[in-house]
Amino acid sequence: MQNNNNQIKGSLRAVTLGFLFLFLFIIIVLIASDIYYLVTSSLTCSDLLKIVLSENIRNAFVLSIVTSLCSLVLVMLFAVPVGYALSRYRFPGHTIVNTFVDIPLILPPVVLGVSLLAFFGTPVGIFIKSMLKSMDVSLISGVGIVMGQFLVSISYCIRAAKSSFDTVNQDVEAVGLTLGASPWQVFRRISLPLAGNGLIAGGVMAWARAIGVFGPLMVFVGTGPRVQVMPTQMWLELSIGNIEASLTIAIMMIVIAGTALALVHKLAPGRRWE
Amino acid sequence: MTLQINSLSLTAGSFHLKSITLEIQNGEYFVLMGPTGSGKSLFLKSICGLQSIETGSIIIAGKDVTNLPPRERNLGYVPQRSNLFPNMNVARNIQFPLDMRGIKGAEADKKVSEIAEMLKITHLLDRATYHLSGGERQKVALARALAAKPAILILDEPVSAVDEPTRREICKDLATIQKELKMTTIHVCHSEEEAKSVADKAGILYHGVLKKVGTVDEISKLYYNKSMSEKV
C-alpha cells in the first residue's frame, strides 16, 4: 500500500515537473533565439551598441519609461481605492461591477485603442479634446500614450489590490476602530501596510504591462516621431527590414519585463506578515 | 464607569439577540457565560459599535453611545484571537491607541513601559508579533486595550486559546489589574474556574437571550446543567 502511494506520488511529481520544465524550455528557447540571431548576424558588439544608443531607440526608451511611470501613478491612484471597495463592500450589482473591472484584461488591447478613438469622437470626447487643446495639449503625445497604457494595465493592478485587501484580516481592522482610530486611520496605518506587498507587486505588473502596450497606441496615437515608444519603434524597425534593431529592442524589453517580474515574485502575497 | 444596556436587540443573518438589558456597576468585573453560538461575541461587538443594533441603547458613564462610532466609545477590546497588528512590533501595538489620542513621544513611551511592566511583558517590547506565543499575544492585546485607560474593558474569551498554566496566570493578572485600575470589565468565558478567578458577577446568555444575572456559583450551576434551557 505504502509502495503504491509512493509510486503515485512519484509519477505525479514527474509529470507535473515535466510540464513545468517543458514550459520553461519553450520560454528560454524563444529568448535564446533572439540572442542567437543577433550573435550570429554580421553585427559586432559596437554595431549593437550603436543601435542601442541610436537617437530613435534612445528617445523611444525615454518616452516609454516616462509615460509608463506616469500611467503607473494613475493606475495606483485608481486601483488602490477600487480594489479596497471591491474587497470590503457589498452593494447591489457587486458581481457585475467586479466583472466589468476585468474587461480590459480579456479584451484584445487593440479594441481599447479603437474605443478611445470612438470616445474622442463623441460630444464629451470632443469637449475634452478642445479643453486639452486650449491648454496646448494634444492627444497625439505622451498624454495619449498614457491613456492607452492606463486602460490596458489598470485591471491587473485592481485585481492585485483586491486580492491583497482580501488577505487583510478584517477583525484586525475592527480592533483598530475600537482603539480610537477613524476608518481612514485604520486604512492608512493597518490595511495599507498589510496589503503593501501585494499592491507593489500589482503596480510592478501593471507597469510592465504598460511599457509593452502596442496595439492601442498604434490605433490611438499612431507612429509619428513624437509618440514612438519601444514597442512602436520595434515594429517600425521590423517593417523596414531592420530585424537586428528590432531584436535589440526586444531584448531590452525582455530585460525590463524580467526585472519587473523578479520584483513581483519577491513582493507578491505569500510573504505574509503572519 | 457604569455600563448600561437597555433592551438591546439585533439580527445577524438568521440569529437574533433579543431585548438584552444589563447593568454593570463602576469597577465591577462581569463574566458572561453561555454555550457556543449563543451570541456572546455578537453582544460584545454591539457594545463596541462593530455590530449595528436594531433597538435599545448602550450607555457608558451616563452617556448614550448607541449611535457613536467605535472610536468615540472609549473602550478597550480584546478579541478571542488577539488580532495584533502584524505590521507593528509589540511596543508599537501598545502605543497605537495612545497615538490615536494624540499622545506621542516621551509620554507615550512612559505609558507603554508602565503597562508592559504591569503585565510583565517588558522583555517583549521590541519583538515582532509573529514571534510571540499564544499567551504572550493575549497579554500584548490586553496591554494594548488598557494603554489608553478605557472606560470599559471588553474581553472576548481572552484565554480560550492558551494552555492551562498560562490561562491561570493571565486570569490572575487580569483580576489584579482590574482591581488596581478599578476598571469596569465584561469578560466572556466558558470555564467556571476562569469565571470564579475573576468575576464579581456573572450572567448567562442562551440562544440570544440573557437568561439570568447572578453570582458566579448560580450561573455556573445553570451553565453546566444539561437541562439548562428548561430550567431557565
Side-chain angles (χ1 to χ4, degrees), chain A residues 175 178-179 189 273-274, chain B residues 75 87 99 101 130 137 144:
Chain A
V175 170
T178 67
L179 292 169
R189 301 280 301 269
W273 293 97
E274 281 185 301
Chain B
L75 301 165
N87 56 320
D99 261 7
R101 287 162 176 81
Y130 45 83
R137 295 178 70 84
R144 185 179 62 178

Side-chain angles (χ1 to χ4, degrees), chain A residues 99 102-109:
Chain A
T99 310
D102 282 341
I103 282 183
L105 281 180
I106 52 161
L107 278 181

Side-chain angles (χ1 to χ4, degrees), chain A residues 53-108:
Chain A
L53 297 176
S54 69
E55 197 186 348
N56 281 350
I57 294 184
R58 237 177 35 226
N59 289 344
F61 178 78
V62 171
L63 190 60
S64 281
I65 296 291
V66 170
T67 53
S68 61
L69 287 178
C70 288
S71 43
L72 173 64
V73 171
L74 278 179
V75 160
M76 292 305 278
L77 269 176
F78 273 79
V80 172
V82 172
Y84 185 82
L86 283 174
S87 168
R88 287 293 182 271
Y89 309 122
R90 291 294 172 269
F91 45 84
H94 181 274
T95 313
I96 296 170
V97 173
N98 202 17
T99 310
F100 259 82
V101 162
D102 282 341
I103 282 183
L105 281 180
I106 52 161
L107 278 181

Side-chain angles (χ1 to χ4, degrees), chain A residues 34-35 37-39 41-44 46-58 60-61 229-254:
Chain A
D34 294 345
I35 298 167
Y37 190 96
L38 283 179
V39 171
S41 67
S42 53
L43 294 174
T44 61
S46 64
D47 292 334
L48 283 176
L49 199 64
K50 258 185 214 161
I51 293 174
V52 172
L53 297 176
S54 69
E55 197 186 348
N56 281 350
I57 294 184
R58 237 177 35 226
F61 178 78
V229 284
M230 283 171 79
T232 323
Q233 187 63 35
M234 189 169 74
W235 182 82
L236 285 174
E237 298 289 357
L238 198 63
S239 64
I240 56 168
N242 192 355
I243 196 159
E244 289 82 5
S246 180
L247 280 175
T248 308
I249 298 171
I251 288 168
M252 285 168 76
M253 293 192 68
I254 288 169

Side-chain angles (χ1 to χ4, degrees), chain A residues 137-198:
Chain A
V137 176
S138 161
L139 284 176
I140 314 298
S141 67
V143 174
I145 297 171
V146 169
M147 283 181 188
Q149 290 175 337
F150 173 81
L151 279 179
V152 172
S153 60
I154 186 159
S155 295
Y156 291 88
C157 200
I158 290 176
R159 207 37 64 204
K162 182 186 178 295
S163 304
S164 304
F165 286 121
D166 282 346
T167 64
V168 177
N169 183 352
Q170 292 189 45
D171 289 340
V172 172
E173 295 174 326
V175 170
L177 293 173
T178 67
L179 292 169
S182 68
W184 279 104
Q185 283 169 318
V186 168
F187 178 74
R188 191 173 63 81
R189 301 280 301 269
I190 300 166
S191 319
L192 210 52
L194 290 180
N197 281 353

Side-chain angles (χ1 to χ4, degrees), chain B residues 72-108:
Chain B
E72 289 174 30
R73 297 186 181 207
N74 193 21
L75 301 165
Y77 172 52
V78 179
Q80 212 168 338
R81 302 168 130 215
S82 63
N83 287 336
L84 299 177
F85 306 133
N87 56 320
M88 304 177 196
N89 68 9
V90 170
R92 286 186 58 212
N93 261 278
I94 301 172
Q95 209 176 320
F96 185 85
L98 300 171
D99 261 7
M100 295 303 113
R101 287 162 176 81
I103 304 168
K104 296 188 182 198
E107 195 188 347

